[in-house]
Structure formats: C-alpha cells, structure tokens
Amino acid sequence: MPDLAPMARFGGLVASDLRDVTADLGALDSTGFWAVAADSEGRTVCARFGDVRQAPLPGPGGWRGPAPEAWTSSMDRDAYLAGVREVRDRIATGEVYQVNLCRVLTAPLGAGADIDALGAALARGNPAPYAGTIRLPAHGVEIASASPELFLRRTGAVVESGPIKGTARTADGFLPKDRAENVMIVDLVRNDLGRVCAPGTVTVPALCAVEAHPGLVHLVSTVRGELRPDAGWPELFAAAFPPGSVTGAPKSSALRLIAELETAPRGPYCGAVGWVDADRGTAELAVGIRTFWIDRTGGSGAGGPVLRFGTGAGITWGSDPAGEWAETELKAARLLAVASEVHQAGEGPSGGRTAAGQQTIGRYAESTGKIGNTGNSGNTGTTGKIGKMERIERIERIERMTS
C-alpha cells in the first residue's frame, strides 16, 4: 500500500490533519469537520480533520489509470437484461414499483495509484456539483466521486435532498417513464424525511427540473424539511439511508430484490460521500453515484489493487430492457474514459479549479464565514461475486437497516 497521508477534498476545499475515525454517526453531532463515507452494505467511516482550507487541484498527469479494454462487468448485457425482465415481473405481482438495478465495473491498477489524482482528473474531465475525494488507506477508504446528486444538505435544522430520476442524452430525450419514476421517488424521499422532520414542514420546492451535466441531462427534484429537535445524524440516517433514488420503492422490498439480483457488492457506490461541519451545523452529502473506489483487499483474484465503478438504471413497468442497459452505458462512458485517460479536458478556471469546485467553496464559505484551520463487458468474477450465504446475510442486513 502506498504511503499516502489521510485527506479529503470537496471541490476546492482540502481537509488534512486527521484527528479521529469512527463508525458512530452520533459523532457528527459533536464538534469538528468530518468527512463521511457510508457504503451500500451499511459500513460507515466518519473521519474528523483538524485543518480545512482552500487549495488548488493537484496538477494534471498524476493519475495512471487502467487500459480502456481492461474493464470487466459484474453483469454482462444478457444478465442485465434478464435482471430488468425479472424486476418487471415482480412489479407485475405488486411486490415493488421501481428498482434501481446496478452493475460494478472493475479494472486492475498499479500499486502506487493515488485516488486524489483520479479525483483531480475527474474534476477536469467531468466536473460535478457534489464531487468529493476521501483518502484513508489505513481504513480501507479510497473514494473519488463525481456525483451530480445531493443526498442530504443541512443548515441547522433545515434538511434538503435532491433526488435524480430520469436520464437522457438531451432534454428532448426524456420518456414518460422518466417523470413517473422521478415523482415516485420524490414521494419516497418525502416519506423518509417525514419520519424525522416536524409535521407539516416537508415540502417539494422543485419537481422534475432539467439539469445538464457532462454528456447527459437529468430530471432533478428538491425535497426539504425541518428536523425535529430530537433528531440528529443517527436518526436522519436511519430514516433516509440508503438513498431512495438508488434503491427503489417500496424501499425495503426493492433492497431485498437488489440483494437477490445483483452479483457484486455495491460498496461506496450508491452510498453517501461528503462532509459535515458539526461546529456550524452544516453538511453536504452526495449520493455515491459516478463514483470510483480503489479496492486493495485482493478480492479480485489478481492479488493487486483494482479500481471499481458502479453504474445502474431505475427499472419501472415501462422499462425497455435494452434501453436500461444503454442508460448504464451512457452513465459510465465519460467517467471510464477519464479514468482510463482517454477523455481529454482542459483545466477549469482559477488554475484548474472547476465551476463545481467554486460552488463548493461558496457553499462552505457562506455557511462558515471563512475557510481555514478548524483545529465491459464480460461477466467475470473480478468484482467479488456473491455466494448464496452472503446473499442471505445481505438480505438480513437490509431488513435490519429498514426495520
């Protein structure tokens, strides 16, 4: 494992001087600036840093990614299409209404790979409003996200979520299914926040707004509420995690079906990645989509580190299996090109800082008043395929998480 110092980067902010690491979400209600990584299987790492300051991106050229042809998928096209058809069959029986079906892509990496260098490449090649990097090698966390989706934002007692449902190449490419899917998940998120917010405070300020992102467009809604005085981070996560937009509806039934159909653990993909400033009562956590992570456990069978990336699509009764496969390809294409050093992009303004990075600085500075010292496809086994017993254990964990 390379000797890399613990750090976190969110847009133009860099956190260093690691003080504490815990799995206790209650720590986020204490003091300090925290980087948070919660994976889809329920593992949470909260890291408190002593120094947070504005800093430029690392210079270009530091990332050495896998060859484009080296990527393999936990499900090939036929397996994914079969999964979509199975979801539609379960919808027909009334078991679920919508399920987000995902696959995990994997490629080998050199031992000295630095996730911060990949995060910088993503910021240049695929800028995103909720981008983030967390590097904690000793704790098994090396994540670089170019997420376009807000999971939870907090300003005092006000909490906000920005679920994405609906993806197309251009704004005129949305289908009726996209809007129906968005409205369905908005209702789920309203219900999640309603479990911890004061009665009558949960609203939907924006419904199915069109947002442009590199290479595609999304339908994005906003759900907002005011937390009850007795609701802290543990209660908020218990109510809202995992995010509704990447699970399905009803959430508990969708999670059980996901555990049955998906052939690899999601890991940080579809979890949560972001920061919490406990001193000022502010936070911004992204849904862990458009997210890479380095796995150094040797689970790939190759013995060396691997880079993983997740992609998926929301399945409804109106889904066309081939169309949903194409959506997973669309979501992955640009990001894989950046990671494999195929996509070329110029630097953003301010010496390499992208507009998204400037937005993060602005949001954080606005909440703090300052920035400174805070004291491809083959169906292979390379993603750690899941056996029957592990499937059962995953379902049992899901039932505990949603009970």
Side-chain angles (χ1 to χ4, degrees), residues 39-55:
D39 72 24
S40 294
E41 284 69 45
R43 177 178 180 250
T44 302
V45 176
C46 306
R48 183 167 63 92
F49 290 92
D51 187 81
V52 181
R53 63 184 64 244
Q54 184 173 333

Side-chain angles (χ1 to χ4, degrees), residues 71-168:
W71 291 97
T72 59
S73 176
S74 59
M75 284 193 278
D76 63 14
R77 187 178 189 275
D78 289 344
Y80 191 85
L81 267 58
V84 175
R85 288 191 287 268
E86 179 64 23
V87 172
R88 292 185 75 254
D89 288 346
R90 302 293 185 94
I91 292 171
T93 66
E95 180 180 342
V96 291
Y97 307 112
Q98 193 263 11
V99 172
N100 203 65
L101 187 64
C102 302
R103 57 195 178 98
V104 176
L105 307 175
T106 301
L109 269 186
D114 179 6
I115 199 70
D116 190 34
L118 174 56
L122 291 173
R124 292 186 174 91
N126 195 97
Y130 306 107
T133 299
I134 302 178
R135 188 177 70 196
L136 299 167
H139 300 276
V141 177
E142 296 178 81
I143 299 169
S145 178
S147 178
E149 182 173 4
L150 176 66
F151 173 41
L152 295 170
R153 177 186 292 128
R154 279 190 63 180
T155 306
V158 176
V159 61
E160 185 174 291
S161 187
I164 287 177
K165 281 283 110 181
T167 301

Side-chain angles (χ1 to χ4, degrees), residues 198-219:
T201 66
V202 178
T203 62
V204 182
L207 183 65
C208 294
V210 177
E211 280 191 7
H213 294 275
L216 46 71
V217 292
H218 288 304
L219 294 180

Side-chain angles (χ1 to χ4, degrees), residues 237-317:
F237 257 72
F241 189 86
S245 63
V246 289
T247 51
K251 186 185 284 188
S252 58
S253 298
L255 284 167
R256 283 192 290 271
L257 186 51
I258 286 167
E260 290 180 30
L261 296 179
E262 294 186 8
T263 59
R266 291 184 174 188
Y269 174 59
C270 293
V273 182
W275 58 268
V276 173
D277 187 334
D279 295 327
R280 297 171 175 87
T282 58
E284 195 167 85
L285 302 180
V287 177
I289 58 174
R290 317 293 197 273
T291 295
F292 293 90
W293 67 103
I294 296 176
D295 182 351
R296 300 184 190 272
T297 63
S300 66
V306 295
L307 185 64
R308 302 198 194 279
F309 177 86
T311 185
I315 313 305
T316 67
W317 176 247

Side-chain angles (χ1 to χ4, degrees), residues 63-71 118 121 125 333-345:
W63 173 250
R64 291 292 178 268
E69 65 275 10
W71 291 97
L118 174 56
R334 185 183 181 102
L335 280 299
L336 295 186
V338 173
S340 292
E341 303 175 271
V342 175
H343 178 79
Q344 300 295 322

